[in-house]
Amino acid sequence: NFLVEWGMTRSTIDVCLYVYQEGDLTLWVAIYVDDALIVDNSAQLRARFVSDLSNRFPTEDKGDLKWILNVEISRDRPARTLTMSQELYIQDLLSKYSDDIDGTFSRRFDSPMDDSVDLSPEADPDGQNVTVEQRDKYMSIVGGLLWLANMTRYDIAYSSCQLSRVLTRPRRVHYRAAMRVLAYLRGTRHRVLVFRPNGDKGLDTLVDSSWATKFSCSGAMFFMHGCLFHWFSKLQRSVTLSSAEAEYFGAMLATRDLIFIRELLIEVRCGVRGPSAILCDSKSAVDMAFDPVAFKKTKHILRAAEFLRDLVARDVIVMRHVSGSVMVADILTKAVARQLFVDLLALIDAYASDGLACPVPRSVSQQGGPSAAPLPGPPQQPPPSPPASPPSFLRLRGAGPEGSGCDVCA
C-alpha cells in the first residue's frame, strides 16, 4: 500500500516489481519479503523515496548493490561490465563435502557430466541404492546445485535437472555423478556471469531439444544486447514423435518465457521493437512455425503448435535457423562431449562481441587456419536508455534473516 500511495504502479507482469515514472524520472523497486532492489536515474528521487520509506518503516540503506542472495555483484565502469559471482557459495559447498569428493574424484574436469552415463530414473533399475546417510547428502548437494544453476551457473543446469529427478531414491551412479559435478565446480569456481552489453544486438533466444523415447529435454538461452540473462533446462510434458516435433515443442516453451520478457520490458518502457528472434537448429521445426496447414503433423500437440504459429503470424516472434555447430543451448539438453562443451562455453562468453561463430577445432587453430566468421543475424534496434544510477540495496530491519530477498535483478 505504501508503494502505491507513493505513486508507484505495481507491475501486472511481475508482482514483485513496482515502477515510478514521472516525465524523465524513473524509479524501479524490485521487492521480496524484507529486501528491495532500487534502480533509478535521479539521486534526488531515490533519496526522497528512501527518506519517505524510512519514516514509515525501520530500514537499512546498504548503498550500491554488492551482495544479494549469496551472489556477489561487482561493476567495472570503465569497461562497462557487471559481474555476478557465487564463488564463496561454491567454496562453502565444496568444503562441506570435500571428503566425499576426494574419495570419489581427485582429478580436474572440464565438463560436469560424463556423456557416456545415462542418469534417467529408468536407466539403471537394478542398480544399488545409496545408504540413508548418502541419500541425505545427495539431496543437500542437489539443492545447492540447483541454486547455482538458477542464479549464475547455467553450465550445470542440465546436470542439476537430471540429478533432481531421483532425489528420494538415488542410486550409486547418481551419487557418483553428483560428486562429478562438485569436482567440476572445484576447478571452475572462479567462473562468473558477465554482462557486457552490445548495443548492436537485441533480444535473441537460442533453443534446442534432444529427442528421447519418452519425454524429450529442451533448453533455451535468452540474450539481451548480447548478455545471457535467463536460461532453462526442462523436460517436455508431451511425447513427441520425431526430432522436429521435439524441437518445435521446445521452441514453444522458449516462446512462453520470451513473451513474459517482452511484456516486462514494455512495462518498464524498454520495449523491443519488431519481432524477437528464436534461433533453432532444426529446419523442419522452423518450417512448421510458418506453415498454416502443418496441423496434420502436430495434432497431438495442437495447442502448443497453434500458440507458436499465431505469434509468428502476428510478427511477434520470428523463427530462424542456425547451424547445429553453434547451438549453444545444446549444453542444456544433454551431456555433450568434453571438447564440444568447452567450445560452446567459449561461444557463449564471446557472444556479446562476436555473435554466433563456428568454433574452430583445436587442430585447425594450431595450424593457423582461418578464423570463424560470425553468422548473420536479424537486424537489431539500438538499446533503450537505462537508468543512470547503479542498482542499490535496501533492507527492512528486523523483518528476516540477512541474505533473504528478491532474485529479480532490474
Side-chain angles (χ1 to χ4, degrees):
N1 291 336
F2 167 81
L3 296 177
V4 175
E5 293 172 358
W6 202 81
M8 291 188 171
T9 302
R10 186 178 187 179
S11 171
T12 58
I13 308 301
D14 190 332
V15 295
C16 295
L17 177 64
Y18 290 80
V19 179
Y20 178 85
Q21 193 80 36
E22 184 180 357
D24 295 333
L25 299 179
T26 299
L27 182 71
W28 302 339
V29 178
I31 188 169
Y32 179 71
V33 189
D34 62 331
D35 291 345
L37 292 181
I38 303 175
V39 179
D40 63 89
N41 62 353
S42 171
Q44 293 77 13
L45 178 63
R46 181 191 181 282
R48 179 162 61 92
F49 170 75
V50 174
S51 176
D52 293 344
L53 184 64
S54 299
N55 293 333
R56 180 75 174 270
F57 305 100
T59 61
E60 181 181 358
D61 188 358
K62 294 180 179 269
D64 291 351
L65 182 62
K66 302 292 185 180
W67 287 89
I68 182 71
L69 297 175
N70 289 324
V71 179
E72 182 183 7
I73 311 295
S74 59
R75 298 170 68 96
D76 186 346
R77 293 191 176 278
R80 297 188 68 248
T81 61
L82 184 146
T83 302
M84 298 177 63
S85 172
Q86 289 183 283
E87 182 178 352
L88 291 181
Y89 183 82
I90 294 175
Q91 289 178 349
D92 291 341
L93 193 64
L94 294 176
S95 61
K96 186 177 181 180
Y97 302 103
S98 59
D99 294 339
D100 300 271
I101 303 172
D102 295 336
T104 308
F105 297 102
S106 60
R107 53 164 292 190
R108 173 192 171 97
F109 292 96
D110 293 327
S111 61
M113 292 183 66
D114 185 349
D115 58 320
S116 63
V117 177
D118 187 1
L119 298 179
S120 62
E122 304 85 6
D124 189 17
D126 299 326
Q128 186 176 2
N129 291 333
V130 298
T131 63
V132 175
E133 180 183 0
Q134 289 177 327
R135 185 197 63 184
D136 294 340
K137 287 183 179 181
Y138 180 86
M139 297 175 69
S140 178
I141 291 172
V142 173
L145 296 179
L146 287 173
W147 180 251
L148 289 169
N150 286 330
M151 298 298 289
T152 62
R153 297 302 298 264
Y154 56 86
D155 49 334
I156 64 169
Y158 174 76
S159 54
S160 302
C161 175
Q162 294 301 305
L163 294 175
S164 64
R165 298 177 63 189
V166 290
L167 277 181
T168 56
R169 296 187 63 185
R171 295 181 171 87
R172 292 195 179 278
V173 62
H174 301 107
Y175 187 81
R176 182 178 176 84
M179 293 299 110
R180 161 75 181 254
V181 178
L182 290 180
Y184 166 75
L185 290 175
R186 181 171 57 186
T188 61
R189 61 183 180 275
H190 303 298
R191 183 173 181 82
V192 296
L193 186 63
V194 180
F195 298 88
R196 187 181 296 106
N198 184 344
D200 295 332
K201 298 183 179 298
L203 179 60
D204 301 324
T205 303
L206 289 97
V207 60
D208 192 28
S209 296
S210 60
W211 187 36
T213 304
K214 193 174 182 181
F215 297 117
S216 303
C217 182
S218 295
M221 291 184 172
F222 300 79
F223 295 84
M224 184 67 176
H225 301 317
C227 302
L228 177 62
F229 70 96
H230 177 55
W231 57 87
F232 69 74
S233 175
K234 61 178 67 173
L235 288 179
Q236 298 180 5
R237 295 303 182 186
S238 177
V239 177
T240 52
L241 304 180
S242 67
S243 59
E245 291 179 12
E247 297 276 4
Y248 188 87
F249 199 88
M252 184 278 299
L253 295 176
T255 301
R256 295 193 309 184
D257 285 18
L258 186 57
I259 293 301
F260 171 85
I261 294 168
R262 284 176 59 96
E263 293 295 330
L264 185 61
L265 291 173
I266 292 174
E267 195 159 43
V268 296
R269 301 190 181 185
C270 295
V272 179
R273 299 177 183 177
S276 298
I278 292 184
L279 308 180
C280 176
D281 62 356
S282 171
K283 292 183 179 180
S284 299
V286 174
D287 293 339
M288 289 167 61
F290 290 96
D291 188 358
V293 296
F295 65 90
K296 296 180 180 180
K297 303 176 183 178
T298 56
K299 292 180 180 179
H300 55 298
I301 53 172
L302 185 60
R303 286 184 176 85
E306 291 302 325
F307 170 72
L308 181 54
R309 289 196 197 102
D310 175 64
L311 293 173
V312 171
R314 292 192 286 117
D315 289 331
V316 178
I317 301 296
V318 57
M319 291 280 293
R320 299 183 184 275
H321 176 261
V322 295
S323 172
S325 61
V326 297
M327 178 46 67
V328 293
D330 197 25
I331 65 174
L332 300 177
T333 64
K334 57 181 173 292
V336 299
R338 170 190 168 276
Q339 189 56 50
L340 178 58
F341 183 85
V342 173
D343 289 340
L344 293 179
L345 283 186
L347 285 181
I348 297 172
D349 294 338
Y351 184 83
S353 57
D354 301 334
L356 291 176
C358 294
V360 181
R362 180 170 299 179
S363 58
V364 175
S365 61
Q366 291 174 349
Q367 298 171 5
S371 59
L375 295 178
Q380 305 293 354
Q381 299 295 332
S385 299
S389 302
S392 55
F393 185 55
L394 189 71
R395 188 167 187 274
L396 299 180
R397 291 177 178 170
E402 179 75 17
S404 63
C406 182
D407 57 354
V408 179
C409 182

